[in-house]
Amino acid sequence: MATTIRDVAERAGVSVATASRVLTGSRPVSPELAERVIQATRELGYRHNAVARALRRGHTNAMGMVVPEIGNPFFPTIVEAVERRLQETGRDLFLCDAQQDPDLERRRVLALIGRQVDGLVIVPVSATASGASLAEAKGHTPLVQVDRYVEGVDTDWVGVDDTAGITMAVEHVVSCGARRLACVSATPDSSAGRRRLLGFQEAVMRLGLPTDGPPLLGSFTAEWGRVAAGRIVAEKHLPDAVVCGNDEIAVGVLGEFRRRGVRVPLDVLVTGFDDIRFAALADPPLTTVRQPHERIAEECIRLLDARIADPDAPIQRIALEPTLVVRESTQRLW
Amino acid sequence: MATTIRDVAERAGVSVATASRVLTGSRPVSPELAERVIQATRELGYRHNAVARALRRGHTNAMGMVVPEIGNPFFPTIVEAVERRLQETGRDLFLCDAQQDPDLERRRVLALIGRQVDGLVIVPVSATASGASLAEAKGHTPLVQVDRYVEGVDTDWVGVDDTAGITMAVEHVVSCGARRLACVSATPDSSAGRRRLLGFQEAVMRLGLPTDGPPLLGSFTAEWGRVAAGRIVAEKHLPDAVVCGNDEIAVGVLGEFRRRGVRVPLDVLVTGFDDIRFAALADPPLTTVRQPHERIAEECIRLLDARIADPDAPIQRIALEPTLVVRESTQRLW
DNA sequence: ACAAAGTGGGTAAACGTTTACCCGAACGTT
DNA sequence: AACGTTCGGGTAAACGTTTACCCACTTTGT
């Protein structure tokens, strides 16, 4: 059906070896023959079969990436950064969505490995349920976890220092005069959820702040933010500030507060985490903790390449420093 | 290095043919041998090499998809819907990002084709510059365009009826009492840009409305929305309504209006297009035209499967009806 | 002038599967 | 008893590349 290198060779009147050599440049070929070959490929519209090539070569010049849910706006940011990095070295990226489902995540990981990707970037769905897939994958291909991670699986990891980030947010609102802080975040189901929660609790304790009831834990979605905000409003009195586990939650919180007539930042301060695209466009623009996604991508590829080069090198876990981005949602003159 | 089916066969004391047969179920094998084989795979941690399988079988049970830019929040919605559809039939989806660059888009398309995907879903970057890649791709694999399309390339297409959608938005704001409408959209670089603009102009003309200067055309980004809103505010008097080419633009417009003290919907109405995740969370919640993304995904896969089944079937272009979602950004009592 | 080294080409063996084909045994059916 | 048929297994040929190896012919150095 499709034209093969054999067809090209035939048309050019050379052997397949010669055709392959001019097409890949793996060895010099005389100008006349080379010309004939590229002429033939043009005439036949030949495209090399990457599957056959991968089979023979044993590598594919492509990376795989699996994210929990591409609809979560933080992941596209990181995907794009990784993509850009990879492009610098001419490699392709195949992206898969796990739909927040560890079973599906496993399928995707195996599918990519089966496709002989040269390495795998994965943001695991769950700090626990993703463990098995990762351990399995690790035996088959170089692998680096990004952002979230699962414990007990010894792989490289790069992400942000969640604890430091939340601490920044807490200290910032406190410096704005807040004393009673509420926390709306996600269950400690993912490492991000766990560490951000921990960071909040530590900071509050260290600063000796009164606690405003237990943290409200749901999922990293705007929907959960709305619900949680509803509960906060239902309490007898508002906290001074609401520290959210990510920007989506914060946006949900802002929306519900607005609907209920709670004014931000006048009545209460709100912070997010991640600095997604819409954080600056929220109403009011959201103070948040920015993840250095370009640096994360950079380290991610660096780790992966190092792992490819030496599968037995000691594993590395790199927590990059986030930065605080102050916007109107915490601008109050006390 | 990695274990092959040959290792499995050897360990189980059977031929590779038998091993293959029990692994794929392509032909019945006696229970004892079957048991020995699956035992062996377990012990060796065997995973079939999908590359070799694809080479032999000629298909891969996977689809490819290329989007202009995964950071644009509309695309994840459609990607997720396609993913869900595909999952029903147990197929994998490999997603690529073109970073708004037709050259890169071409690379991605070719990479996917080279990987022998069974079909390709593509949202082209540009109505003109993507033409060559598409024409080339069409010769190699079944292909369906989604959302945007390039003309002059005969492929199946499914998307929304842009014209009808914009018309709905226009008629809606007019029914709210607006007369002077501004349009902020993207250059007619993509089919969506072109058709939405056309729809606006037609509707305005048909309803005999006064035009509020020429349409403001940039890109489908919030940033452009901000800029355009700035220009609108700089004019001597505000229009009654701003009809935006998509939700991102609208969100940018809302943000800039807010910053400049223009009240929506009190001073001016604003509408978007797409109904992305954040439209409902914007301030005020955004009236917009919702794309039926689940149906789009459904038709997309249907078209693709039909094309795979019969490459010579007549091509189809399916424009689905959008629906108007009225929220506060157009709620005004005149 | 003759060996050594280099140059430019071809032949064929991989890569890991699946599957067309073959073969022997067991099992009816006349 | 002779003869299909089915059943369950193996052998080996593909799939489309790349590349190790080989060979014939220069070129170069002595």
Side-chain angles (χ1 to χ4, degrees):
Chain A
M1 186 96 295
T3 74
T4 77
I5 201 173
R6 181 159 278 108
D7 302 324
V8 171
E10 201 164 325
R11 175 149 195 146
V14 299
S15 71
V16 289
T18 303
S20 173
R21 294 203 252 261
V22 5
L23 260 21
T24 64
S26 59
R27 254 185 47 181
V29 169
S30 73
E32 317 88 285
L33 293 200
E35 178 50 39
R36 294 225 304 267
V37 168
I38 69 137
Q39 181 65 23
T41 70
R42 228 192 315 261
E43 289 169 1
L44 277 63
Y46 169 76
R47 299 235 53 96
H48 76 258
N49 180 323
V51 169
R53 173 177 288 183
L55 177 60
R56 171 64 218 231
R57 285 192 169 161
H59 67 260
T60 56
N61 210 34
M63 297 286 177
M65 181 164 186
V66 182
V67 299
E69 190 181 32
I70 196 67
N72 178 327
F74 171 64
F75 298 123
T77 325
I78 186 95
V79 167
E80 287 187 343
V82 168
E83 174 99 31
R84 269 191 296 271
R85 277 290 151 187
L86 239 27
Q87 202 200 326
E88 289 171 7
T89 46
R91 289 178 284 185
D92 293 316
L93 182 69
F94 296 111
L95 179 64
C96 290
D97 184 326
Q99 294 180 47
Q100 293 283 14
D101 174 357
D103 289 337
L104 199 54
E105 178 178 56
R106 179 159 184 280
R107 271 204 53 163
R108 300 302 184 224
V109 166
L110 293 181
L112 286 166
I113 290 178
R115 285 315 192 299
Q116 309 288 101
V117 290
D118 299 338
L120 208 49
V121 177
I122 178 165
V123 184
V125 167
S126 153
T128 55
S130 298
S133 324
L134 282 203
E136 191 176 0
K138 185 168 130 64
H140 290 284
T141 196
L143 180 157
V144 47
Q145 298 186 68
V146 173
D147 187 49
R148 312 176 178 183
Y149 62 85
V150 337
E151 301 221 48
V153 185
D154 278 350
T155 77
D156 298 302
W157 171 79
V158 57
V160 79
D161 187 336
D162 288 301
T163 319
I166 283 290
T167 304
M168 285 175 177
V170 169
E171 289 178 348
H172 168 65
V173 295
V174 167
S175 82
C176 291
R179 292 280 300 159
R180 291 185 56 250
L181 311 191
C183 175
V184 181
S185 190
T187 52
D189 205 51
S190 68
S191 68
R194 200 166 56 70
R195 305 208 33 197
R196 290 178 193 178
L197 175 58
L198 235 62
F200 176 80
Q201 291 171 326
E202 274 177 24
V204 161
M205 186 160 317
R206 188 163 43 75
L207 297 175
L209 302 175
T211 54
D212 185 69
L216 295 164
L217 302 181
S219 64
F220 280 128
T221 61
E223 187 46 36
W224 164 240
R226 304 187 90 125
V227 172
R231 297 207 195 141
I232 290 176
V233 174
E235 298 284 316
K236 44 248 149 258
H237 51 268
L238 285 173
D240 299 328
V242 179
V243 173
C244 301
N246 77 347
D247 288 350
E248 282 224 80
I249 292 178
V251 169
V253 166
L254 288 179
E256 188 64 15
F257 275 170
R258 190 187 320 125
R259 216 172 64 78
R260 307 270 198 134
V262 175
R263 295 159 304 172
V264 177
L266 219 59
D267 300 329
V268 56
L269 308 181
V270 174
T271 68
F273 201 115
D274 288 346
D275 196 23
I276 61 174
R277 215 160 158 162
F278 274 96
L281 296 163
D283 174 39
L286 187 66
T287 290
T288 188
V289 178
R290 173 182 299 160
Q291 297 217 29
H293 46 262
E294 287 295 346
R295 287 226 41 225
I296 290 178
E298 186 183 332
E299 290 296 322
C300 163
I301 300 305
R302 198 180 59 72
L303 286 177
L304 207 44
D305 284 335
R307 180 63 49 200
I308 291 170
D310 177 7
D312 299 319
I315 72 156
Q316 297 184 49
R317 299 186 173 224
I318 303 181
L320 297 170
E321 283 305 305
T323 54
L324 187 72
V325 180
V326 177
R327 299 204 182 91
E328 293 174 32
S329 72
T330 56
Q331 301 282 7
R332 181 162 36 159
L333 310 172
W334 293 75
Chain B
M1 187 95 294
T3 74
T4 76
I5 200 173
R6 181 158 279 108
D7 302 324
V8 171
E10 200 164 327
R11 175 150 195 143
V14 300
S15 72
V16 290
T18 303
S20 173
R21 292 202 254 259
V22 6
L23 261 20
T24 63
S26 59
R27 254 186 47 182
V29 169
S30 73
E32 316 88 285
L33 293 200
E35 178 50 38
R36 295 223 304 267
V37 169
I38 69 136
Q39 181 66 22
T41 69
R42 227 191 315 262
E43 290 168 1
L44 276 63
Y46 169 75
R47 299 234 53 95
H48 76 257
N49 181 323
V51 169
R53 174 178 286 182
L55 177 59
R56 171 62 219 230
R57 284 193 169 160
H59 67 262
T60 55
N61 209 33
M63 298 286 176
M65 181 164 185
V66 182
V67 299
E69 191 181 31
I70 196 66
N72 179 326
F74 171 65
F75 298 124
T77 326
I78 186 96
V79 167
E80 288 187 341
V82 168
E83 175 99 30
R84 270 191 295 272
R85 277 289 150 187
L86 239 28
Q87 203 199 327
E88 290 171 8
T89 46
R91 289 178 284 186
D92 294 316
L93 181 70
F94 295 112
L95 179 64
C96 290
D97 184 326
Q99 294 180 46
Q100 293 283 13
D101 174 356
D103 290 336
L104 200 52
E105 177 179 56
R106 179 160 185 281
R107 271 204 52 163
R108 300 303 184 222
V109 166
L110 294 180
L112 286 167
I113 290 177
R115 280 320 188 346
Q116 308 289 101
V117 290
D118 299 338
L120 208 49
V121 177
I122 178 166
V123 184
V125 166
S126 154
T128 54
S130 298
S133 324
L134 282 203
E136 191 175 2
K138 184 169 129 66
H140 290 283
T141 197
L143 180 158
V144 48
Q145 298 186 69
V146 173
D147 187 49
R148 311 177 177 182
Y149 63 85
V150 338
E151 302 221 46
V153 185
D154 278 349
T155 77
D156 299 301
W157 172 79
V158 57
V160 79
D161 187 335
D162 289 302
T163 320
I166 283 291
T167 304
M168 285 176 178
V170 169
E171 288 177 349
H172 168 66
V173 295
V174 167
S175 81
C176 292
R179 291 282 299 160
R180 289 184 57 248
L181 310 190
C183 175
V184 181
S185 189
T187 53
D189 205 51
S190 66
S191 66
R194 201 167 54 71
R195 306 209 30 197
R196 290 177 193 178
L197 175 59
L198 235 61
F200 176 80
Q201 291 171 327
E202 273 178 23
V204 162
M205 186 160 318
R206 189 164 41 74
L207 297 174
L209 302 174
T211 55
D212 183 71
L216 296 164
L217 302 181
S219 63
F220 279 128
T221 61
E223 186 47 35
W224 164 240
R226 306 186 88 124
V227 173
R231 296 208 196 141
I232 289 176
V233 174
E235 297 285 316
K236 41 245 150 261
H237 51 268
L238 286 173
D240 299 328
V242 179
V243 173
C244 301
N246 77 348
D247 288 349
E248 281 225 81
I249 293 177
V251 168
V253 166
L254 288 180
E256 189 64 14
F257 275 171
R258 190 187 320 127
R259 215 171 66 77
R260 306 270 197 134
V262 174
R263 295 159 304 171
V264 177
L266 219 58
D267 299 329
V268 55
L269 308 181
V270 174
T271 67
F273 201 115
D274 288 347
D275 196 24
I276 61 174
R277 213 159 159 163
F278 274 95
L281 297 162
D283 173 40
L286 187 66
T287 290
T288 188
V289 177
R290 173 182 299 160
Q291 298 217 29
H293 44 263
E294 288 295 345
R295 287 225 42 223
I296 290 178
E298 186 184 331
E299 290 296 322
C300 164
I301 300 305
R302 198 180 60 71
L303 285 177
L304 206 44
D305 284 335
R307 180 62 50 200
I308 291 170
D310 178 7
D312 298 319
I315 71 156
Q316 297 185 50
R317 301 186 172 222
I318 303 182
L320 297 170
E321 284 304 305
T323 53
L324 187 72
V325 180
V326 178
R327 299 204 183 91
E328 294 174 31
S329 72
T330 56
Q331 301 282 8
R332 180 162 39 157
L333 310 171
W334 294 75

